[in-house]
Structure formats: C-alpha cells, structure tokens
Amino acid sequence: MIRSRRETVTFRHPFRIKGIDRQLQAGAYEVVTDEERIEGLSFPCFRRVATTIMIPGAPPQNSSIEMISISSVDLADAQQADAVASL
C-alpha cells in the first residue's frame, strides 16, 4: 500500500536543491512525498520511498510544470539555508 502526502513549501529567497541544475525563484512549491506501508507490524507504519517537487519549466517552457525527484535531506538543507538567509 502506497500513500501520498502533499504539502506546500515556501522559500523567501532564490534557492538551489541538489539534483536540479538551475537556481529556483523564491515562492511556494508543491512537494509530494510517497510512503509505503511496512507489512508485518501490529501497528501501521510507513517508510518514505520518494519525494518530488513541482517546479516551473526551464525557459522557454515557462508555462509547463516539471515534477522532479529530490532527496528529502536536500529539501531540508535548502529550507534551512533559506531560514538562515532570512535572519
């Protein structure tokens, strides 16, 4: 069984995430996390199997949206860098 969780992540400054070859603009981005259930336990438990971020297409495809697979650690690092830049 797979479940997906969607959240909006907001960056206040332009940022980079490992695996994406360009700097992204400040703004709100949709992040989707897929998790699978770990079978055989007496309680429901899930493990993350994929994290993706929706970003605007690279020029000249600005009107398209790309869904890019990223590491949850790289996303957390980008969020931390954005928070530090806001201080």
Side-chain angles (χ1 to χ4, degrees):
M1 177 175 143
I2 300 279
R3 69 179 183 185
S4 294
R5 187 171 36 93
R6 294 177 181 269
E7 65 179 307
T8 300
V9 176
T10 302
F11 290 91
R12 295 181 182 198
H13 307 283
F15 66 101
R16 290 190 173 273
I17 294 181
K18 186 177 179 181
I20 299 177
D21 62 353
R22 65 184 188 275
Q23 181 171 308
L24 300 172
Q25 297 301 313
Y29 292 83
E30 183 177 8
V31 174
V32 179
T33 302
D34 293 333
E35 300 170 323
E36 69 180 0
R37 186 171 181 161
I38 299 172
E39 299 296 328
L41 299 175
S42 60
F43 55 92
C45 187
F46 291 81
R47 82 172 139 242
R48 182 176 331 171
V49 293
T51 302
T52 54
I53 188 169
M54 312 298 186
I55 63 170
Q61 280 79 27
N62 293 10
S63 63
S64 66
I65 299 293
E66 295 180 63
M67 185 175 189
I68 308 257
S69 181
I70 59 171
S71 159
S72 59
V73 172
D74 293 337
L75 176 61
D77 289 347
Q79 289 176 291
Q80 179 65 29
D82 187 63
V84 167
S86 295
L87 297 179

